[in-house]
Amino acid sequence: MDDRAPQTRDVLYCAEWVLPVAAPPLRGGSVLVHGDIIAEVGPALELAAANPQAEVVDFGPSVLMPGFVNAHCHLEYATFRGIFDDEEFGDWIVSLVDAKAALSPSDYVHSALLGASECVSSGITTIADTAFGGETLLAASQAGLRGRLYLEVFGIDDLRLDQTMAEIEARLEGARAAASPRIEIGIAPHAPYTVSARLYQTIAAYARENGLKVASHVAESREELTYIRSGSGKFAHDFREKVGWERMLVQPYGVSPIKYLQQWGVFDEDFLAVHCVQASPDDIRILASKRAAVAHCPKSNAKLGCGVAPLAEMLHQGVRVGFGTDSPASSNIMDMFDEMRTALFLHRAIGRDVSVLTAEKCIYIATLGAADALGMAEAVGSLEPGKQADLIAVDISRSHFAPVTDPCSALVYGANQDDVTFACVGGEVLYRDRELLTLDAEAVRAGGIEVREKLHAKVSEGVDVGAEDSGWWHPAGAPAAGTSDGAQRR
């Protein structure tokens, strides 16, 4: 049988533990896959007896579970890991403007392939990626990932609004043509400090008319909060000067970023607010009332000194939340086990309450919760009959797991991406016995290292770019997504 091809016959995957997420853990369980769909979940002996025609794949001492759903990432920044490790968010994002402009479109393809390979090998099978160009589409499609690419939009000059929207429509058309059947296309107004109120409003209306999902970085940092409330701070000066926007009027709005967006009618059930670190209880009530979802990226927010998002309050108010790894430029590795563990420790520590977050809840947020936040819960996020056959196997035979009586505890407190041994999406095996089947791992790694060396050299030289080459907002000639000549990136 071809390991990579979608199965044309029944396959019964068995393991010491099956973790359906939507149901209690099952010891000695199995998952019957028919084509690209999960047909049954139940005890291994019973399903094997009832389905003698099925090929049996036994993972032994492993946990079989749904693939992780990464609610926010940037695959194309995989080669940026470790460059600005000790900078706070405001300085980090200003430094990133120059670094991003140092790479060519082909460099970003190599970087995105490295990110895609890391996702597959760490058990992430669905991604919600934000990118300007088509490099991520290419990489995710080659790797076999499922998910959504949110096309990133920048613009604070309302005199260009019609031209901006025309460019957006062209990019969306190009992205749809380039995307694999597993990748949806959405739209991502970057953030309140890089997108005008009128452009946010226009994008929100356009998205509703055309059935598009929307994502945006919101309330990520104190710098953003200061900028929206008072029109001052690093974003009003250093950042705007760096990207050539110092000529634009800075207007203080006197409210939080979430209240600012709410007054323009931006939020609805198809809106994904990324980060929400600087969110008050009133802000969270707004999100909950509009059914907006949140992508929580605990490692990125902590590393950059942004803080800790009020996850407990979000969950208390019924906001849909999924974990995201963000980009390796800020979190270094796309390891969902690490995100779950970091979240659990951080929120228990700041709440001084061990009940605020459990291992079981972390697993839910990283799988079915994230799928719900993205509007994909009917298809992925749990092992249930009728859902897509997106599943992973996690090896628990090593000493740091023994003994295992609770698979949720074992995974959240003890596992890491290297413990993943198998991943399939829609019945197509992408990763088996810790080997990639859809990508040439050595070639991808070599390409990533070459790009990183180029990036490191440019950063060491102190590359400086002007407004015309900043990579944040080019007034004209924006390339369509789906091509490989996009240069604007978050």
Side-chain angles (χ1 to χ4, degrees):
M1 180 178 65
D2 183 346
D3 281 340
R4 178 182 172 182
Q7 313 301 338
T8 56
R9 54 181 174 175
D10 292 347
V11 180
L12 186 66
Y13 293 108
C14 307
E16 181 177 328
W17 288 96
V18 169
L19 191 57
V21 175
L26 179 63
R27 193 160 202 164
S30 62
V31 178
L32 180 67
V33 173
H34 179 72
D36 60 350
I37 299 296
I38 295 172
E40 292 185 75
V41 179
L45 293 177
E46 290 183 14
L47 291 191
N51 298 275
Q53 81 290 350
E55 176 181 351
V56 177
V57 177
D58 191 348
F59 293 107
S62 299
V63 177
L64 196 59
M65 63 179 291
F68 292 117
V69 178
N70 192 341
H72 180 65
C73 62
H74 302 267
L75 298 188
E76 61 186 8
Y77 297 143
T79 55
F80 285 72
R81 70 180 96 233
I83 293 182
F84 304 118
D85 275 346
D86 300 315
E87 294 193 3
E88 293 187 356
F89 182 79
D91 296 327
W92 173 85
I93 204 165
V94 170
S95 298
L96 208 58
V97 172
D98 286 338
K100 291 185 294 185
L103 300 185
S104 69
S106 61
D107 292 332
Y108 277 106
V109 171
H110 288 297
S111 192
L113 284 169
L114 186 64
S117 68
E118 182 179 358
C119 282
V120 172
S121 61
S122 63
I124 294 168
T125 54
T126 297
I127 60 171
D129 196 277
T130 300
F132 187 89
E135 295 85 359
T136 290
L137 278 177
L138 176 64
S141 297
Q142 287 188 14
L145 289 165
R146 186 188 307 283
R148 181 178 299 130
L149 172 67
Y150 292 98
L151 286 181
E152 206 156 37
V153 177
F154 303 84
I156 64 171
D157 185 354
D158 288 337
L159 295 178
R160 297 189 66 258
L161 188 61
D162 290 343
Q163 183 179 348
T164 298
M165 290 308 298
E167 292 167 355
I168 289 171
E169 291 186 33
R171 293 174 57 213
L172 287 168
E173 183 178 351
R176 292 190 191 99
S180 76
R182 290 179 184 160
I183 305 293
E184 301 176 18
I185 303 300
I187 191 167
H190 172 257
Y193 54 93
T194 54
V195 176
S196 72
R198 281 194 63 197
L199 183 53
Y200 260 115
Q201 286 178 292
T202 305
I203 289 173
Y206 179 86
R208 290 183 186 118
E209 290 171 4
N210 292 275
L212 290 173
K213 306 288 188 180
V214 181
S216 185
H217 302 92
V218 178
E220 183 175 4
S221 65
R222 290 180 181 176
E223 289 86 351
E224 178 184 335
L225 183 64
T226 300
Y227 178 80
I228 296 299
R229 277 186 174 168
S230 64
S232 61
K234 187 172 290 289
F235 286 168
H237 301 99
D238 298 14
F239 177 76
R240 290 172 67 86
E241 181 179 355
K242 173 63 68 174
V243 299
W245 290 348
E246 69 274 11
R247 68 187 184 282
M248 299 293 181
L249 177 67
V250 177
Q251 180 176 344
Y253 288 93
V255 294
S256 69
I258 289 175
K259 289 180 180 176
Y260 165 75
L261 292 182
Q262 188 268 342
Q263 68 184 343
W264 308 118
V266 171
F267 297 124
D268 60 22
E269 65 180 358
D270 290 329
F271 189 96
L272 180 70
V274 180
H275 298 303
C276 295
V277 176
Q278 303 296 327
S280 68
D282 284 343
D283 289 331
I284 296 170
R285 275 191 282 275
I286 291 171
L287 297 176
S289 68
K290 298 297 182 181
R291 289 289 295 156
V294 171
H296 177 34
C297 307
K299 281 180 57 186
S300 173
N301 297 152
K303 183 189 174 188
L304 295 174
C306 292
V308 182
L311 177 64
E313 183 66 19
M314 292 176 191
L315 297 176
H316 175 70
Q317 294 199 35
V319 175
R320 294 170 295 143
V321 180
F323 286 136
T325 63
D326 210 339
S327 80
S330 60
S331 67
N332 292 63
I333 58 174
M334 290 186 286
D335 183 341
M336 197 62 75
F337 300 102
D338 212 18
E339 295 294 338
M340 292 191 294
R341 193 157 42 246
T342 298
L344 188 147
F345 290 161
L346 281 176
H347 291 290
R348 285 188 174 188
I350 63 173
R352 297 187 179 185
D353 180 1
V354 297
S355 67
V356 71
L357 199 58
T358 64
E360 183 179 4
K361 188 65 175 181
C362 285
I363 294 285
Y364 173 84
I365 296 172
T367 54
L368 189 54
D372 189 26
L374 298 175
M376 297 180 177
E378 291 186 1
V380 299
S382 60
L383 303 182
E384 298 180 77
K387 284 197 170 184
Q388 290 291 309
D390 295 7
L391 54 151
I392 65 173
V394 185
D395 178 14
I396 55 171
S397 66
R398 299 178 181 184
S399 60
H400 58 281
F401 288 109
V404 176
T405 56
D406 179 348
C408 292
S409 173
L411 294 179
V412 173
Y413 288 106
N416 60 61
Q417 58 187 1
D418 290 336
D419 294 312
V420 176
T421 61
F422 171 88
C424 73
V425 174
E428 178 188 359
V429 180
L430 312 183
Y431 189 66
R432 184 165 183 164
D433 296 328
R434 295 189 173 91
E435 290 187 9
L436 286 167
L437 304 181
T438 53
L439 298 172
D440 183 334
E442 288 304 314
V444 167
R445 186 173 184 274
I449 290 174
E450 184 177 343
V451 171
R452 175 51 182 267
E453 289 175 348
K454 174 181 178 179
L455 180 61
H456 187 267
K458 292 290 186 181
V459 171
S460 299
E461 291 170 6
V463 174
D464 190 31
V465 296
E468 293 300 316
D469 301 312
S470 69
W472 278 83
W473 175 249
H474 293 269
T483 66
S484 60
D485 46 350
Q488 303 171 22
R489 295 177 168 81
R490 156 71 159 78

